[in-house]
Amino acid sequence: MKHLILTAVLVSGLTFLAASSASAQQDSLKRKKYDINYGLGVTIGEKRDSTGKIDQSKGRFVGGITFTRLDIGFSRLIDNGSFSLSPTNDFLDYKGAKTSTVSFDVLQFGYRFNSNFKIYVAGGFDWTMIRLKKNITIQSNTPDLSYVNEPIIFSKNRFSNSYVHIPLNFELRTNENRRGNRFYVVFGPEIGFLLNGKVKQISDERGKQKFKDDYNFAPFRYGGTFRIGYNSLALFAKYYASDMFDTTAQKGLKNMAFGITLGLN
């Protein structure tokens, strides 16, 4: 997880440096009544009037490359409506404080109707990392979600997945206050496509080991996201209505996440 956060921060930093070097182009575009918002990415679509102020009187399409909406938080498994795992799924028992989620967007395209309402589709990446309690190894290349008990103690036993996610967001925001900040509410459905699954283990006997497979994670998932925030900081909650695994034994096992969002542009 630390490497993912560092990567996201590094990419955002490089984008900011690139934005600084492009200030001359930005001034030129403003004179043409169009604005490029660099920040953490490049967003085109803001239209300006003859005085240089953003024209909010008409709707407009907006979109571009963005590294905002970095979500960092915790994940929880829900077994047929319960936060307690059933005997069938007890092998997935996890350490709640170390079971986490990280996601961020890289693209967004949408339509801003006015200063307070926007609809947009985004695209990015999402990771769920389950820190298993038990000394087991989830098996790869099996038709079901199976495991073996290990005679050793793992200092880390992480079971994770990664998805490409595509959320459709409805954004409501207040008018700017005297400091130029706003309150936001963002909500909408989201779909995802599996990239891969991974098991990472660390032990004294075997050292560091990594195994990749789809591990019967659902190849397609769907759910919804809700955010509420102020300026560039928000709280988020995600719930995936689809099953977490594409196996009969894990039917009804779902995933949710919650945490903080950095950046709401």
Side-chain angles (χ1 to χ4, degrees):
M1 180 178 176
K2 292 180 180 179
H3 295 295
L4 296 176
I5 296 173
L6 289 174
T7 299
V9 172
L10 177 60
V11 171
S12 300
L14 291 175
T15 305
F16 179 79
L17 291 175
S20 299
S21 65
S23 59
Q25 296 179 13
Q26 184 180 16
D27 292 339
S28 176
L29 285 168
K30 284 182 180 179
R31 288 194 294 270
K32 295 179 180 180
K33 298 185 181 181
Y34 290 93
D35 179 49
I36 290 184
N37 176 24
Y38 287 94
L40 297 179
V42 180
T43 303
I44 302 175
E46 302 287 8
K47 189 173 182 180
R48 295 178 178 267
D49 58 24
S50 58
T51 67
K53 295 181 178 179
I54 294 178
D55 182 4
Q56 306 286 6
S57 62
K58 296 181 180 180
R60 60 204 178 277
F61 288 99
V62 294
I65 300 172
T66 178
F67 295 99
T68 57
R69 288 179 299 279
L70 171 63
D71 292 335
I72 304 174
F74 301 99
S75 290
R76 293 292 181 268
L77 303 187
I78 303 175
D79 196 340
N80 289 283
S82 174
F83 285 104
S84 298
L85 296 175
S86 65
T88 301
N89 297 317
D90 186 60
F91 68 96
L92 291 172
D93 194 15
Y94 57 92
K95 300 177 181 179
K98 295 184 177 181
T99 294
S100 57
T101 183
V102 174
S103 70
F104 61 89
D105 295 338
V106 294
L107 294 171
Q108 68 170 12
F109 297 96
Y111 190 81
R112 178 167 292 288
F113 292 85
N114 52 51
S115 177
N116 306 111
F117 181 54
K118 179 174 73 171
I119 298 176
Y120 61 94
V121 175
F125 302 94
D126 182 290
W127 291 264
T128 298
M129 291 156 281
I130 304 168
R131 185 68 72 86
L132 299 174
K133 283 185 178 180
K134 298 185 177 182
N135 297 306
I136 63 172
T137 298
I138 307 294
Q139 298 295 281
S140 60
N141 299 312
T142 58
D144 54 3
L145 188 61
S146 59
Y147 66 95
V148 295
N149 290 301
E150 298 286 10
I152 61 177
I153 296 176
F154 295 110
S155 59
K156 175 182 287 188
N157 192 5
R158 192 175 71 190
F159 185 36
S160 64
N161 62 40
S162 60
Y163 281 81
V164 170
H165 71 187
I166 305 174
L168 171 62
N169 290 323
F170 299 85
E171 177 192 281
L172 300 172
R173 64 183 188 181
T174 63
N175 294 326
E176 292 183 349
N177 59 23
R178 289 179 295 178
R179 296 183 178 181
N181 298 323
R182 308 171 186 260
F183 285 97
Y184 292 79
V185 173
V186 183
F187 59 92
E190 176 182 308
I191 61 174
F193 300 91
L194 181 67
L195 291 174
N196 59 52
K198 181 187 293 186
V199 169
K200 181 179 180 180
Q201 298 172 325
I202 299 177
S203 64
D204 292 336
E205 293 84 354
R206 301 176 185 174
K208 182 184 296 185
Q209 294 181 301
K210 295 180 182 180
F211 309 96
K212 288 186 178 182
D213 188 53
D214 62 18
Y215 289 104
N216 293 292
F217 282 111
F220 171 79
R221 72 180 185 186
Y222 57 89
T225 303
F226 177 82
R227 290 185 179 88
I228 183 168
Y230 176 72
N231 198 19
S232 59
L233 182 67
L235 299 176
F236 78 87
K238 298 181 182 181
Y239 176 74
Y240 299 102
S242 56
D243 288 346
M244 191 173 187
F245 296 96
D246 193 22
T247 52
T248 302
Q250 280 68 48
K251 185 174 179 59
L253 185 63
K254 304 180 187 299
N255 182 28
M256 70 164 293
F258 58 93
I260 62 172
T261 300
L262 304 176
L264 280 173
N265 291 334

